[in-house]
Amino acid sequence: MKVLAIESSCDETSVAVLEDGREILSNIIATQIETHKKFGGVVPEVASRQHVEAINTVLKEALDTAGVRLDEIDIVSATKGPGLIGALLVGLSAGKTIAMAIDKPFVGVNHIVGHVCANYISFKDLEPPFVGLIISGGHTYLIEVKDYVDFTLHGRTQDDAVGEAFDKVARSLGLGYPGGPLIDKLAKKGKETIEFPRVMIKENNYDFSFSGLKTAVLNYLNSKKQKNEEIIVEDVCKSFQEAIVDVLLEKTFRLAEEKNLDKIVLCGGVSANSRIREAFLERAKIEDKKIYYPDIKLCTDNAAMIGSAAFYTYKSGKVEEENFANPNLGL
Ligand code: KG4
Ligand code: ZN
């Protein structure tokens, strides 16, 4: 079964062709990062316009690369939320129009479900059940994956998403956007010399909070500046990153233990973080669990993961009649 998938929820215009939900025939990603860099973050209206400009070219390239004609496609899909409303509408309109034109089913996909499904592409044998940790620029969810696209939500962030905390801290350090990869790189040269808070780590639930940590970093930087003391950026990055790692580890492994699940699946842009990957692997060795995370290219936004989610959604019979763009779509 060939799925044509479109992703346009934020600052990547991406189109992919997938075979049976796990095999990528093409996955073209046109990123707008360079455009938004100068503003220090994504400007919604600019993003929408760039999606409009890019979508046809990216679509053609995806079909050409896959060597597939539109009339060979079995399912058309696009991200319906969450994301920026104008950006979502571009991909969703394109997808629905194509589906109508070739008279094939249309599957609207929840972007967050897509992030989890990136792992089905990277690991051909991965099967539910497992614990899923979704860590991206906009979302932080701890879930139990009971079936391919059947999730039970156990915890979420009460304020900032993990990636948002990375991006905001990077910005306050003057590092640029997106901040996650830059902090990841600098932290490798740093030492954990500053004790930042591990917010909610001891609380008897699976929720997270990162805005307090972000504020603690800002306060630290301000106080150093006021006293005219040197700021070792690498150490700030390392100390901040370790605080994030500790809470993610603690809550995720606790859920795996409670549900007696031996597989832990990471996904979302922040799962590209080298220290998070390393820390999860280390802890997994001790607790006899298995860790999965997607290939780097499938961690951040891409249409292949949307295609995988569409395939499993279609197979599970959960296709919805209405597919409106929903910026606040949850899990
Ligand atoms: O999944 P994604 O592409 O977009 C959303 O759906 O939000 O995630 C983007 C986020 C950004 O916040 C970016 O800073 C973060 O992923 N990110 C990283 C790394 N690579 C990307 N964060 C930490 N370490 C990384 N290596
Ligand atoms: Zn995403």
Side-chain angles (χ1 to χ4, degrees):
M1 188 174 259
K2 288 188 176 53
V3 182
L4 176 72
I6 303 173
E7 155 63 35
S8 71
S9 65
C10 190
D11 57 350
E12 262 94 33
T13 319
S14 179
V15 181
V17 181
L18 251 81
E19 184 83 60
D20 291 342
R22 301 230 184 201
E23 205 65 52
I24 294 180
L25 303 183
S26 66
N27 186 27
I28 309 298
I29 305 166
T31 182
Q32 307 175 1
I33 285 180
E34 283 306 316
T35 306
H36 300 291
K37 242 182 197 168
K38 44 185 177 289
F39 304 107
V42 179
V43 185
E45 181 54 26
V46 175
S48 314
R49 289 175 193 215
Q50 292 217 347
H51 285 305
V52 173
E53 283 169 22
I55 189 83
N56 284 339
T57 319
V58 177
L59 173 66
K60 184 171 182 320
E61 198 179 332
L63 289 167
D64 289 351
T65 306
V68 169
R69 294 187 314 272
L70 264 185
D71 61 8
E72 293 173 295
I73 296 292
D74 301 295
I75 301 172
V76 184
S77 63
T79 305
K80 62 177 176 182
L84 304 169
I85 183 72
L88 287 167
L89 281 169
V90 179
L92 203 57
S93 315
K96 283 185 185 175
T97 310
I98 295 167
M100 207 184 286
I102 62 173
D103 199 19
K104 289 288 158 65
F106 178 80
V107 182
V109 171
N110 182 324
H111 181 86
I112 305 162
V113 176
H115 272 302
V116 175
C117 293
N119 282 282
Y120 299 138
I121 303 171
S122 290
F123 300 95
K124 307 295 177 215
D125 302 328
L126 174 62
E127 275 174 29
F130 52 79
V131 164
L133 176 66
I134 305 156
I135 39 179
S136 75
H139 317 284
T140 306
Y141 291 110
L142 189 52
I143 59 171
E144 194 182 345
V145 177
K146 294 186 165 157
D147 205 344
Y148 285 95
V149 287
D150 178 10
F151 301 173
T152 302
L153 179 63
H154 288 283
R156 65 199 310 163
T157 181
Q158 301 295 302
D159 37 63
D160 291 355
V162 189
E164 198 178 345
F166 268 97
D167 294 339
K168 285 178 178 167
V169 165
R171 195 172 177 169
S172 63
L173 286 166
L175 297 179
Y177 172 86
L182 303 166
I183 290 185
D184 189 353
K185 206 168 147 201
L186 287 167
K188 284 183 187 151
K189 295 182 224 144
K191 290 194 197 74
E192 195 186 348
T193 52
I194 314 146
E195 206 174 306
F196 289 129
R198 272 71 173 154
V199 183
M200 294 181 79
I201 197 166
K202 294 221 166 76
E203 283 187 22
N204 195 19
N205 58 39
Y206 294 110
D207 289 331
F208 302 96
S209 165
F210 297 104
S211 86
L213 169 60
K214 174 196 67 190
T215 309
V217 177
L218 295 185
N219 289 343
Y220 171 83
L221 294 176
N222 287 337
S223 116
K224 281 281 175 186
K225 277 177 205 157
Q226 268 168 8
K227 291 188 219 151
N228 242 334
E229 289 174 4
E230 189 195 0
I231 295 167
I232 303 169
V233 175
E234 291 82 356
D235 287 1
V236 178
C237 290
K238 176 72 178 166
S239 307
F240 160 76
Q241 193 170 265
E242 288 306 311
I244 297 256
V245 165
D246 281 353
V247 275
L248 293 179
L249 275 182
E250 180 59 32
K251 298 242 162 160
T252 310
F253 277 86
R254 205 194 291 162
L255 181 63
E257 200 55 42
E258 189 198 303
K259 300 292 169 190
N260 203 14
L261 292 168
D262 62 354
K263 287 181 260 182
I264 293 174
V265 169
L266 312 180
C267 63
V270 184
S271 70
N273 184 276
S274 62
R275 176 62 190 137
I276 292 177
R277 290 176 166 209
E278 178 189 63
F280 271 82
L281 288 172
E282 278 169 4
R283 176 88 171 251
K285 245 188 218 165
I286 301 165
E287 298 202 14
D288 205 17
K289 308 267 182 228
K290 200 156 187 301
I291 304 296
Y292 299 82
Y293 40 75
D295 298 339
I296 292 274
K297 207 182 167 197
L298 296 176
C299 285
T300 44
D301 293 349
N302 66 89
M305 68 184 200
I306 302 303
S308 179
F311 175 79
Y312 287 110
T313 304
Y314 186 77
K315 268 187 64 166
S316 71
K318 281 193 192 162
V319 179
E320 286 172 14
E321 286 281 305
E322 308 283 9
N323 282 296
F324 297 121
N326 183 352
N328 303 317
L329 189 63
L331 261 186

